[in-house]
Each structure stands twice: as structure tokens, then as C-alpha cells.
Amino acid sequence: EVKKIIVRSYDDGKETKKFQLDDFKGYIFEDKFVLIKGFKVDKDYIYISSSTDTVTVLQIYTKTGELKHSYEEIRDFDIDSKGNLFISGLLGTDDFKGISVIDAKRGKEVYRIKTDNVENFIRYNPTDNLLYCFNSLLDKKIKTYDVETRSFVETIFSFIKDASYNIDDCSIQDFLIDNDGNLYISCVEQIGDSWHDYFYTYKKIMGEEEKRPITLTVTAPYRDDFIQEA
């Protein structure tokens, strides 16, 4: 029996469209649900990344459910408003560490943006035209890359230095950057036999870093030879 994946669209709480996805490759767990890892929509296509038995697959569909393109074994993806698709960890890109920029309509790679690592998460921000990239296993930093110049801009957050919790004790699920540069992070932590969800926000502060006084404390052994000297 072939299982059907149905997509519905709503307007003001009312269903306006319903269609079936052709050749959906995600694994259907216990014939009841699928693990959708990413879901985005632009004016032309629907982008869905889901888990198979072994890898994450990204599929692009028309708004009638027709499969347009498929990319197996990726880490993460995002889109812009110009029809560009950004993919991290795309299979078949040799040993390239970075972001593959693909024309969503043609399904062809347009150019690449080199990064330090294969990023677990990538988020595109149209306000500053930057890609925000994060690898949770290696350097544990969120870095920005300019889409136009295809170059590194800066590190905006280090989980080792800036986070208020130990990243090794939790699993990052997602992060977002708003138009003001504020950072939002969701993660889960296992405590005993249960999992706890956390949501952190970090506000971007403009201007110079606050100057703080530094207090240095030096501890030396107490002298016990003063009687001998006397």
C-alpha cells in the first residue's frame, strides 16, 4: 500500500487547496507520521526536507504536488526571494566545505560560498543579505557570510564564550535572526529519563562594548621567618 502525503493550504482559517506530494522520499514512521526537518514556501515552490532511514533529503515541489527537484544527503537549507536555494552539506560536492547556491527553477548550482566547516544550520537574512551559519559539533560559533561577495564577514556568537549554558549538555534544534540582529535559539536537554525544551534570546547591543574594571587578586604564602630575622 502506498502512503500518501497531503499538503493543505489555508486562508483565514479555511482550507483553500489540498494536493498530494509525488514521490515523497521521507520515511513514514509506524505508518503514522513523518519527520519534517524543514518546510519553506515561496511564490513558486514548496521546499521540504525530511528524514529517510539514513540521511536527510530535500525535495522541491510545485504547488500542485509535482516533484521538481530532489537532493539527497544534505545538512540544512534556506531560500531567498530571488529563486535561490542555499544548501549545506550537499552530497556529490566532493570535499567542499560550504554552501551550494542553486537556481531553484533549473535545479543547477550557480556558485558556492566556502565556509570553515560543513554547517549544521544555515539561515538567510534578507535584511542584511547575509547567511548565518552554525556547526554545533566543531567550532560551535555562528558566523556570517556575504551572499554577494561570497566571503566571511564576522563571528556574531560563540556558544563557548557567550552562551549562558553548556552547549555540550544540550542539542541545538534551531536558531533564528530577526531584522534587528537579535538571536533566538531553541534546544533540548536530557535530564535523567526526560527531555526539557529551552528557548533562549540574545539581544544585539549596539555601540562600544561596556568597559568593566578588572580586579586582580594575588595570594602569597604567609611568612613565618620573621622571628629568625629578628
Side-chain angles (χ1 to χ4, degrees):
E1 181 182 0
V2 178
K3 302 297 181 181
K4 298 180 181 180
I5 303 299
I6 304 297
V7 174
R8 293 179 171 88
S9 62
Y10 294 85
D11 185 10
D12 196 22
K14 297 180 180 180
E15 183 177 306
T16 59
K17 182 184 290 188
K18 180 175 72 174
F19 53 87
Q20 177 182 337
L21 298 181
D22 293 340
D23 194 25
F24 180 75
K25 296 184 180 299
Y27 182 72
I28 303 177
F29 294 87
E30 300 178 354
D31 294 335
K32 294 180 180 179
F33 65 94
V34 295
L35 179 56
I36 300 298
K37 305 188 73 174
F39 185 95
K40 295 182 181 294
V41 179
D42 64 15
K43 62 183 181 63
D44 296 314
Y45 304 113
I46 299 172
Y47 306 78
I48 301 176
S49 64
S50 57
S51 294
T52 66
D53 288 334
T54 55
V55 299
T56 298
V57 59
L58 169 63
Q59 295 180 274
I60 304 177
Y61 289 92
T62 66
K63 293 190 176 179
T64 58
E66 177 187 357
L67 180 62
K68 186 75 174 177
H69 304 292
S70 182
Y71 304 92
E72 296 194 17
E73 193 168 329
I74 73 162
R75 293 291 185 89
D76 199 13
F77 80 98
D78 207 345
I79 60 175
D80 65 11
S81 61
K82 301 176 182 178
N84 292 315
L85 168 64
F86 307 100
I87 300 180
S88 172
L90 179 61
L91 180 66
T93 51
D94 306 317
D95 294 326
F96 171 67
K97 295 180 181 179
I99 310 299
S100 298
V101 184
I102 294 173
D103 183 318
K105 183 176 182 179
R106 297 186 296 116
K108 301 295 184 181
E109 185 179 73
V110 181
Y111 61 89
R112 295 177 175 182
I113 300 175
K114 186 178 180 180
T115 60
D116 294 332
N117 306 296
V118 178
E119 308 296 344
N120 296 102
F121 300 93
I122 57 173
R123 296 292 175 264
Y124 173 71
N125 190 331
T127 301
D128 49 23
N129 200 29
L130 296 179
L131 276 173
Y132 290 74
C133 304
F134 169 52
N135 186 299
S136 60
L137 300 177
L138 298 177
D139 60 11
K140 302 175 183 179
K141 298 177 180 178
I142 297 178
K143 302 177 180 180
T144 58
Y145 294 84
D146 190 292
V147 172
E148 294 295 332
T149 62
R150 312 174 194 179
S151 59
F152 169 75
V153 177
E154 63 178 337
T155 297
I156 67 161
F157 191 84
S158 169
F159 282 86
I160 297 176
K161 295 193 307 180
D162 303 323
S164 55
Y165 52 90
N166 187 351
I167 189 175
D168 294 328
D169 294 335
C170 62
S171 174
I172 303 299
Q173 300 299 296
D174 204 351
F175 79 91
L176 294 172
I177 306 290
D178 67 16
N179 293 338
D180 295 323
N182 300 316
L183 177 63
Y184 305 86
I185 301 170
S186 66
C187 63
V188 295
E189 180 181 1
Q190 185 174 12
I191 302 177
D193 296 330
S194 62
W195 290 89
H196 299 259
D197 296 290
Y198 296 94
F199 185 78
Y200 295 92
T201 62
Y202 294 91
K203 185 176 181 180
K204 182 178 180 179
I205 301 176
M206 303 300 294
E208 295 185 1
E209 183 178 355
E210 179 184 359
K211 303 299 183 181
R212 300 180 180 179
I214 298 176
T215 302
L216 180 63
T217 301
V218 178
T219 303
Y222 182 76
R223 291 186 60 186
D224 60 359
D225 58 350
F226 60 92
I227 297 181
Q228 297 178 5
E229 291 181 357

